[in-house]
């Protein structure tokens, strides 16, 4: 897939997500290139009179939304939100996902968890049978981060994940700092056997602020492929 094809698919996913937007909604605005395609389309509607307010999930998106004329608000002044629309690095048909490739996972998870619904928009390459090929981002506090990384290694080894490389993410030759001033480790699982168990294990490691596994948070996946857009909804049936 060329980058032009990929841009067309991201825009197609964003365009389909517009169908879920209604006047008066309070929206979580996701981060990443697919979300940005959605924001550009949303801004056209806003200029046409759509009345919404957005809560950005990163400083970059706040800046973009301002430049596009999308009205913004603080999460604490607007929660609960009606809907968050965001991208993903991987998603499966159970609507679990890996996010954080763009380093915004902490605010993305706070905003999505404060929303009645979360829609993930992506091109078809992001839909996988099993999560884990994309390295899982884990956000940690800077203080003692190598010790935290060792604790992560022990916690995941207890679940049977051996020899998982943990790579400190860097940018321009220095450790990357997130919008909240933390560091990121990318964990190369290869394949994640049980996302819910891993979610709980990582969340219990002292020093871990958050991680990019989104388990049972998204309610809808919008997947754009060259032959059309597929909508996958979370099953609400019991058992
Ligand atoms: C940022 C994210 C993004 O949503 C994810 O990385 C997907 O990005 P893109 O739409 O550019 O492929 O989680 O933290």
């Amino acid at each position: 897939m060329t980058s032009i094809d990929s841009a067309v698919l991201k825009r197609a996913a964003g365009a389909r997500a517009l169908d879920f937007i209604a006047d008066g909604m309070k929206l979580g605005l996701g981060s990443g290139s697919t979300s940005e395609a959605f924001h550009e389309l949303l801004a056209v509607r806003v200029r046409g009179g759509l009345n919404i307010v957005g809560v950005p999930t990163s400083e970059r998106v706040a800046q973009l939304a301002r430049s596009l004329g999308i009205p913004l608000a603080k999460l604490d002044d607007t929660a609960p939100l009606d809907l968050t629309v965001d991208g993903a690095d991987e998603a499966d048909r159970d609507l679990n996902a890996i996010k954080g490739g763009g380093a915004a996972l902490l605010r993305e998870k706070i905003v999505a968890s404060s929303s009645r619904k979360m829609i993930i928009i992506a091109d078809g390459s992001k839909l996988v049978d099993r999560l884990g090929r994309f390295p899982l981002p884990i956000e940690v506090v800077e203080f003692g981060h190598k010790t935290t990384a060792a604790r992560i290694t022990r916690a995941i080894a207890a679940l049977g994940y051996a020899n998982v490389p943990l790579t400190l993410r860097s940018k321009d030759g220095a450790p990357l700092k997130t919008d909240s001033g933390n560091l990121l480790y990318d964990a190369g699982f290869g394949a994640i056997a049980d996302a819910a168990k891993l979610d709980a294990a990582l969340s219990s490691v002292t020093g871990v602020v958050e991680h990019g596994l989104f388990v049972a948070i998204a309610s809808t996946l919008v997947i754009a492929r060259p032959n059309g857009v597929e909508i996958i909804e979370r099953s609400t049936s019991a058992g």
Side-chain angles (χ1 to χ4, degrees):
M1 189 162 57
T2 67
S3 59
I4 295 174
D5 295 336
S6 160
V8 168
L9 294 180
K10 287 172 184 180
R11 205 171 163 82
R16 185 65 177 81
L18 282 179
D19 295 344
F20 294 84
I21 309 298
D23 206 57
M25 273 188 165
K26 298 182 281 182
L27 296 176
L29 303 176
S31 295
S33 55
T34 317
S35 294
E36 290 181 9
F38 168 74
H39 301 149
E40 283 167 13
L41 296 165
L42 179 67
V44 174
R45 293 278 175 94
V46 168
R47 287 197 287 277
L50 178 74
N51 172 36
I52 53 98
V53 66
V55 173
T57 54
S58 60
E59 297 300 328
R60 179 185 159 103
V61 163
Q63 213 176 357
L64 174 70
R66 267 186 225 109
S67 74
L68 290 170
I70 298 174
L72 296 182
K74 288 197 163 71
L75 182 64
D76 287 345
D77 296 334
T78 44
L81 305 179
D82 297 297
L83 172 65
T84 286
V85 178
D86 203 344
D89 299 298
E90 282 185 351
D92 66 20
R93 286 184 179 274
D94 292 329
L95 279 79
N96 297 325
I98 288 181
K99 290 185 49 53
L105 67 98
L106 174 59
R107 294 189 191 185
E108 289 174 330
K109 201 181 267 190
I110 292 172
V111 170
S113 301
S114 309
S115 304
R116 294 192 181 94
K117 269 180 77 91
M118 180 199 192
I119 296 179
I120 290 181
I121 52 175
D123 65 68
S125 68
K126 306 286 186 69
L127 185 63
V128 297
D129 290 332
R130 177 172 284 207
L131 298 175
R133 194 160 40 103
F134 190 91
L136 177 68
I138 304 173
E139 185 157 346
V140 301
V141 292
E142 183 172 20
F143 177 81
H145 66 90
K146 290 183 187 161
T147 313
T148 299
R151 244 190 321 271
I152 293 170
T153 298
R154 287 196 294 277
I156 61 181
L159 294 181
Y161 299 103
N163 305 317
V164 172
L166 284 184
T167 309
L168 182 65
R169 202 183 296 184
S170 60
K171 190 181 176 190
D172 303 329
L176 179 145
K177 289 267 183 90
T178 67
D179 281 352
S180 299
N182 299 311
L183 303 181
L184 283 176
Y185 278 92
D186 291 305
F189 283 92
I192 292 172
D194 185 328
K197 262 193 190 162
L198 182 57
D199 174 9
L202 289 173
S203 296
S204 70
V205 175
T206 303
V208 168
V209 180
E210 198 41 90
H211 58 78
L213 263 182
F214 280 49
V215 176
I217 295 178
S219 38
T220 305
L221 282 185
V222 174
I223 301 292
R225 298 192 187 82
N227 58 352
V229 177
E230 182 182 6
I231 305 289
I232 305 169
E233 300 274 4
R234 176 180 296 287
S235 154
T236 50
S237 60

